[in-house]
Amino acid sequence: MNDAILHLYFINSIFLVWSPPTTREEILVRHLRFAVGEQPRWPSWPVRWQLVAALMIAALLPGAIVAQVPSKRDAKGPTMHCSAAETLRRPWIDEAGSLALPPSLDWPNGVAFDGQGRLLVGAITAPLVARFEAGRWRIMDIAAPGIFSVTSLTHDSARNLVWGTSPAFLEADADQQHGLYALDDERLQVVRFLRLPDDGFANDTEIAPDGRLLVTDSVNGRVLAYDWMRDEFATLVEDERLRPLSRVGAAGVTVDQQGRIYVTNFETGEVLVLDEDVLRAVELPRTLENPDGLVLVEDGALLVAEGAVLSGDGRLLRIADPAEPGQRAIEVLRGRLESPVNLTVGPDHTVYVTESRIRRKIGPNPTDVKPDRFRVVVVDPHAG
């Protein structure tokens, strides 16, 4: 056999780096003997160095990958924990079921997975997105005219875009205007920037089954649909029940495969469903405290981030069969969260919730003291 065939065996050996060292060595020797026939001979010097490199990679690569995983931080407060198996499978998630955000990203809100399955987390108070890949965070500055925050994130697979919103609802943003924007999926650079009709407050976003972008307007009490090709908005519903009591009305939005649209009112505490152009409240045993982000999971249950600005007892809630008539039960999947605002379902069907802690800015006792850590809470929606 010639050096070209030996080179193919070298390439093949790279895929064996996770085997025990003795097994790797035996396989490499077997490849060498097979290549040269019954009377083994040493290959040319370039091929010898390639084989040595393969052994070095096999010895060092597992340790290098482990070194990329950030150190875990102790979590405070949660009552549910990840299993040991879950922690081993995703070592960057601690036993309390949280993923620590990098120090440079404060007050998280928008959360989504991009087209490559990478977790994206946006900041309320800055045009920053943290992207998690290969066990590490990468901070990406998406600043552009009109973009000053990342209150929501939604992946648009049809156009390979990531949608975000910049609503001006904090005092620090008083001189800004509400905005909606589309970023390219890889570099997160602005592709299109939009204003909602009537100076609308673009809050949350979701992709409808027909490919249009759903947007909640928190001041005008609307759910809009944006058509990319026509570059125009259509009002799907405008209702007093979606208007704010003071500042923020319609908030989280999601849609099921039947086209029913679910939306929360952050201030009234209602969860509503738009079904065949009829808007009605989902009947619940209690009024929710600042319901915000919404997501539907694979069994059809509706998950709600209950922000709880006044009490501080934020929760992740599960409502089974939300479109069915009659009162629906509320199940608490996770409690003792500080201002959970947004959530998304990962490729493995696990739910990722941003714990914004924003009540420290907009709650009953606002403070300028910033918490020392922020995190994404990770929950199995089917855990008993």
Side-chain angles (χ1 to χ4, degrees), residues 12 21 33 61 63 75 160 168 208 233 247 280 283 319 331 337:
N12 184 48
R33 287 177 177 170
L61 187 56
N160 205 28
F233 290 96
R247 299 177 64 193
R280 60 178 175 84
E283 188 179 345
I319 302 170
E331 178 186 358
L337 301 176

Side-chain angles (χ1 to χ4, degrees), residues 17-233:
V17 297
W18 296 107
S19 305
T22 54
T23 303
R24 288 195 297 268
E25 293 167 3
E26 290 171 1
I27 292 174
L28 287 170
V29 171
R30 190 179 306 123
H31 285 175
L32 178 60
R33 287 177 177 170
F34 179 81
V36 299
E38 292 294 328
Q39 295 182 350
R41 62 176 175 82
W42 285 104
S44 63
W45 275 107
V47 175
R48 294 187 205 181
W49 285 117
Q50 289 175 338
L51 292 172
V52 170
L55 289 172
M56 293 177 66
I57 291 172
L60 297 176
L61 187 56
I65 289 179
V66 171
Q68 290 180 0
V69 177
S71 60
K72 304 175 200 174
R73 303 184 189 179
D74 294 333
K76 301 176 182 178
T79 56
M80 294 176 63
H81 302 274
C82 285
S83 66
E86 182 71 9
T87 302
L88 287 172
R89 186 165 65 90
R90 294 176 297 181
W92 43 84
I93 298 173
D94 65 24
E95 292 182 359
S98 63
L99 173 59
L101 287 166
S104 52
L105 193 127
D106 305 330
W107 317 104
N109 195 336
V111 60
F113 282 85
D114 67 12
Q116 298 184 46
R118 299 172 296 193
L119 179 64
L120 306 175
V121 180
I124 296 174
T125 57
L128 298 176
V129 174
R131 184 164 71 190
F132 191 71
E133 53 184 320
R136 290 185 176 182
W137 288 107
R138 177 185 177 188
I139 298 295
M140 307 182 76
D141 190 338
I142 64 167
I147 299 178
F148 52 89
S149 69
V150 190
T151 297
S152 74
L153 286 170
T154 297
H155 181 246
D156 184 343
S157 59
R159 283 163 282 274
N160 205 28
L161 299 172
V162 175
W163 289 93
T165 58
S166 280
F169 76 101
L170 295 177
E171 290 185 8
D173 303 325
D175 59 342
Q176 302 278 7
Q177 286 183 286
H178 312 301
L180 169 70
Y181 49 87
L183 312 171
D184 76 86
D185 186 68
E186 180 57 36
R187 296 174 300 169
L188 298 186
Q189 294 185 349
V190 180
V191 176
R192 187 173 292 184
F193 181 84
L194 303 161
R195 304 281 188 198
L196 267 58
D198 305 319
D199 195 26
F201 179 143
N203 191 331
D204 198 17
T205 53
E206 177 65 289
I207 302 296
D210 64 5
R212 291 187 296 175
L213 180 76
L214 303 179
V215 189
T216 50
D217 180 344
S218 295
V219 295
N220 294 310
R222 299 170 179 164
V223 177
L224 306 172
Y226 176 73
D227 188 306
W228 177 268
M229 296 301 294
R230 296 181 178 181
D231 190 20
E232 64 182 19
F233 290 96

Side-chain angles (χ1 to χ4, degrees), residues 299-322:
D299 65 359
L302 181 68
L303 304 191
V304 186
E306 186 176 22
V309 172
L310 185 62
S311 71
D313 185 18
R315 302 174 181 181
L316 175 63
L317 309 177
R318 180 180 184 273
I319 302 170
D321 303 315

